[in-house]
Amino acid sequence: MNIHEYQAKQLFRDFAIPVPSGGVADSAEQARQVMQTLSGSAWVVKVQIHAGARGKAGGVKVARNEQEVADFANAMLGRQLVTHQTDANGLPVNCVWVEEASAIKNEFYLSLLVDRDSERLIFIASAAGGMDIEAVAAETPEKIVHVKIHPASGLQPYHCRQVAAALGLGKEQQSRLQTIMTGVYELFLAKDCSQIEINPLIETDNGNLVALDAKINFDDNAVALHPEIAALRDASQEDAKEAEAKQFDLNYITLDGNIGCMVNGAGLAMATMDMVKLKGGAPANFLDVGGGTNKDKVKAAFKLILSDGTTKAVLVNIFGGIVKCDVIAAGILAAVEEMHLTIPVVVRLEGTNVELGLSMLAESGLGLHTAEDLNSAAELAVKLAEEAA
Ligand code: ADP
Ligand code: MG
């Protein structure tokens, strides 16, 4: 789960990570009011969306006076902002963050994430901050330092010295960096984050270190343990279909093909998508309806798969282990009938009560295709989708 920069900055503040003073606003008037509470002679107005690269896309503005703050807020609020991290539709701008402008001497990069290979948390830092870290990694990898933290030792002063040296920091700044790294590390563990990224972490003219940007991702499987984090969710920034899927406890990811896949179990869903690809087709989605699925979930899944009109055929591949095949068949029939489905549906069922399930489908008169195995099911779905397209 992602949150907005302004929410992340509040969490930073709670963990003693310095951030500029600022406030959030959902109207130009409010942006003006926030600015009046801040000191300084310049302010930065930043579009709040769940994507980075806002600066390059025109979503970050240095304002010299009240009018510029209000004008920029007016121009941005209510529109979609496209950055190279969003899709072509962009994300809706429902609020802006107004903060004091900092006098930047240096821009660094600092992040903490999970390194699956070493099974450790790893700090990644670079003196070449402020820009696209992927580009730095590709072109000048020597400018990036990696520091792994053993869970038994936790974060130690020497970890911070390693990062400080890589950033070329002096003695006094070293202790400021240690405060920041400690805050990041403790925040990461306390809230079950999967990534914290500060890009840029800046050195100001007077030598302070300040987090100018703040990005936090949380481990979805742990969000339920932190109601205060769950409350930060902004559904307007999420794929509408993926958000709806969550309500029905379905694992759904939108893809760009035209064969809708409905499968139970993530492993079987991956294998099904592979098979569709192997047969020359392209899946419209990843969908795991769960091991113990039921009629309502199957119906919700059909609705999701069909909601955007790009799907030309549906491939159902369900193993009746926990759930019986006749229950699945009843769910499919109810969904197809209720939704007056006209696109071809190929069903492959296997497991408990499979004969009963298949005969229910065959006798329904709804023109559903059944297949004996995944190989032939995928082949047929690809063929039918091609004919329909
Ligand atoms: P994004 O990563 O989405 O482009 P950032 O918050 O990193 O957005 O802002 C982009 C750039 O804008 C920063 O690299 C920095 O140079 C500048 N910037 C952001 N906030 C401030 C600020 N408070 N004062 C001065 N410059 C800022
Ligand atoms: Mg940034």
Side-chain angles (χ1 to χ4, degrees):
M1 181 186 129
N2 293 336
I3 58 173
H4 288 293
E5 173 197 3
Y6 78 90
Q7 297 165 324
K9 280 185 167 162
Q10 182 56 54
L11 285 166
F12 277 11
R13 209 171 280 136
D14 296 346
F15 283 79
I17 302 162
V19 293
S21 299
V24 71
D26 60 12
S27 69
E29 182 47 37
Q30 207 182 351
R32 196 193 288 269
Q33 284 168 12
V34 169
M35 177 210 146
Q36 283 163 354
T37 65
L38 303 172
S39 53
S41 56
W43 301 269
V44 180
V45 188
K46 303 168 85 173
V47 156
Q48 297 297 291
I49 55 170
H50 283 192
R54 294 162 303 167
K56 278 190 197 136
V60 175
K61 159 94 180 166
V62 179
R64 303 279 157 201
N65 55 50
E66 214 176 293
Q67 198 54 43
E68 284 183 16
V69 169
D71 287 348
F72 185 72
N74 233 342
M76 286 291 150
L77 287 165
R79 58 170 270 193
Q80 303 274 124
L81 186 73
V82 179
T83 83
H84 76 74
Q85 291 185 10
T86 68
D87 63 18
N89 295 324
L91 287 168
V93 182
N94 298 323
C95 59
V96 294
W97 168 252
V98 185
E99 69 184 11
E100 290 171 7
S102 302
I104 303 175
K105 192 162 144 206
N106 275 311
E107 295 199 347
F108 307 123
Y109 176 93
L110 181 70
S111 69
L112 180 61
L113 45 102
V114 183
D115 178 39
R116 289 172 191 276
D117 288 337
S118 63
E119 302 177 349
R120 307 255 158 100
L121 294 190
I122 183 170
F123 271 102
I124 297 177
S126 176
M131 47 182 122
D132 201 352
I133 195 68
E134 284 80 9
V136 180
E139 289 154 27
T140 48
E142 68 283 359
K143 289 190 179 160
I144 298 180
V145 65
H146 301 85
V147 178
K148 291 173 192 161
I149 316 293
H150 194 289
S153 74
L155 183 70
Q156 295 291 321
Y158 78 87
H159 293 129
C160 303
R161 285 198 295 273
Q162 275 176 354
V163 174
L167 301 185
L169 300 182
K171 194 107 197 113
E172 202 176 325
Q173 286 166 342
Q174 224 176 73
S175 79
R176 290 178 183 147
L177 180 72
Q178 187 164 334
T179 305
I180 291 173
M181 287 177 65
T182 304
V184 168
Y185 188 75
E186 286 177 355
L187 169 59
F188 197 101
L189 296 183
K191 305 294 183 189
D192 288 310
C193 301
S194 53
Q195 185 184 12
I196 297 180
E197 184 182 72
I198 307 178
N199 188 24
L201 170 69
I202 61 149
E203 179 187 359
T204 63
D205 272 354
N206 49 22
N208 283 326
L209 297 182
V210 182
L212 273 207
D213 197 1
K215 180 177 169 188
I216 306 181
N217 298 326
F218 298 92
D219 179 348
D220 279 333
N221 294 312
V223 170
L225 300 174
H226 306 283
E228 77 288 1
I229 299 298
L232 302 179
R233 166 163 264 139
D234 179 354
S236 78
Q237 303 291 315
E238 297 177 0
D239 182 296
K241 286 206 272 179
E242 288 171 22
E244 197 186 327
K246 249 178 223 136
Q247 287 181 4
F248 286 93
D249 210 13
L250 302 166
N251 275 317
Y252 182 92
I253 293 165
T254 305
L255 300 170
D256 48 18
N258 63 4
I259 299 179
C261 300
M262 177 154 76
V263 190
N264 65 339
L268 191 58
M270 298 298 285
T272 306
M273 289 162 53
D274 281 349
M275 194 59 97
V276 166
K277 279 273 190 193
L278 190 67
K279 301 294 175 188
N285 65 283
F286 167 93
L287 173 59
D288 164 18
V289 294
T293 192
N294 57 37
K295 197 165 129 182
D296 288 340
K297 273 197 183 184
V298 171
K299 263 191 351 202
F302 260 105
K303 282 207 182 110
L304 273 173
I305 291 176
L306 300 171
S307 57
D308 66 0
T310 56
T311 303
K312 298 292 178 221
V314 178
L315 170 56
V316 181
N317 184 21
I318 293 207
F319 177 74
I322 302 171
V323 62
K324 296 190 176 90
C325 290
D326 54 310
V327 174
I328 295 297
I332 296 171
L333 292 176
V336 170
E337 223 160 3
E338 236 172 77
M339 297 174 69
H340 307 291
L341 207 69
T342 52
I343 66 168
V345 178
V346 180
V347 184
R348 184 250 179 163
L349 288 178
E350 197 55 81
T352 312
N353 290 358
V354 63
E355 292 82 6
L356 178 57
L358 288 176
S359 69
M360 284 166 70
L361 296 176
E363 286 158 19
S364 69
L366 291 173
L368 299 167
H369 304 263
T370 55
E372 296 250 311
D373 54 32
L374 177 53
N375 196 52
S376 53
E379 207 164 85
L380 183 57
V382 171
K383 182 170 153 266
L384 293 170
E386 270 167 12
E387 284 169 11

